[in-house]
Amino acid sequence: MEITQARKLLDQFSCTEQKSVETQEQKQELQTAIQDIVKESEWENLGVCAENTQQAIIALKTYLMAFGYVLNQVDFNQVDQLKTPVYIKFSTKQMGFYQDNYTGDYRGVLVSCQAEDDLIAGVYGHLPLDLFEEK
């Protein structure tokens, strides 16, 4: 997918209420679009809002693997195991976490791509927690 096409698709999910992915084809297009943008970025911040830490970490792991990161380089023990809604921010530059309680209704992932190119740089999402999970 060309970057301009990827950006156009991702912009449909940006700064909106959570948009659902209806078909497997839509899911694959969205996966390809965010992966293509991430490939061109210098580094990313991922913000995950989930029902609990376990759900957030599962989503984070699937996104990181889809983006080509090696999970054994990440210390997932840096986060507390909360059973209440949680926000986790992960920086691929520092390979570190920030965690906090979350009181909002949104559940999903925001991907903030850092790059010199304005076509690449930006915040993408609200993306589904399970975008890269195999069903």
Side-chain angles (χ1 to χ4, degrees), residues 10-120:
L10 290 167
D11 284 348
Q12 294 175 29
F13 286 82
S14 297
C15 299
T16 63
E17 291 297 316
Q18 192 166 356
K19 184 176 176 178
S20 62
V21 178
E22 304 294 329
T23 67
Q24 187 63 29
E25 182 182 347
Q26 287 177 330
K27 183 177 182 177
Q28 289 173 338
E29 286 178 346
L30 188 56
Q31 289 171 338
T32 300
I34 191 64
Q35 286 171 312
D36 287 351
I37 293 287
V38 165
K39 276 186 225 170
E40 300 297 323
S41 72
E42 295 169 25
W43 56 278
E44 305 81 36
N45 286 321
L46 285 81
V48 182
C49 299
E51 287 298 316
N52 53 53
T53 301
Q54 181 180 2
Q55 185 184 48
I57 293 299
I58 289 169
L60 182 59
K61 285 180 177 180
T62 62
Y63 272 77
L64 289 173
M65 285 189 302
F67 296 162
Y69 290 96
V70 179
L71 294 186
N72 65 7
Q73 296 177 345
V74 180
D75 180 9
F76 289 98
N77 293 320
Q78 294 179 44
V79 293
D80 297 325
Q81 291 296 319
L82 303 178
K83 296 192 183 306
T84 56
V86 63
Y87 169 75
I88 293 178
K89 178 181 174 182
F90 182 79
S91 167
T92 62
K93 184 176 185 179
Q94 299 171 337
M95 299 305 265
F97 296 87
Y98 166 81
Q99 180 181 18
D100 204 350
N101 292 319
Y102 180 69
T103 58
D105 295 328
Y106 168 70
R107 301 293 182 263
V109 179
L110 295 171
V111 180
S112 176
C113 293
Q114 312 303 311
E116 295 285 327
D117 186 340
D118 288 341
L119 192 58
I120 304 300

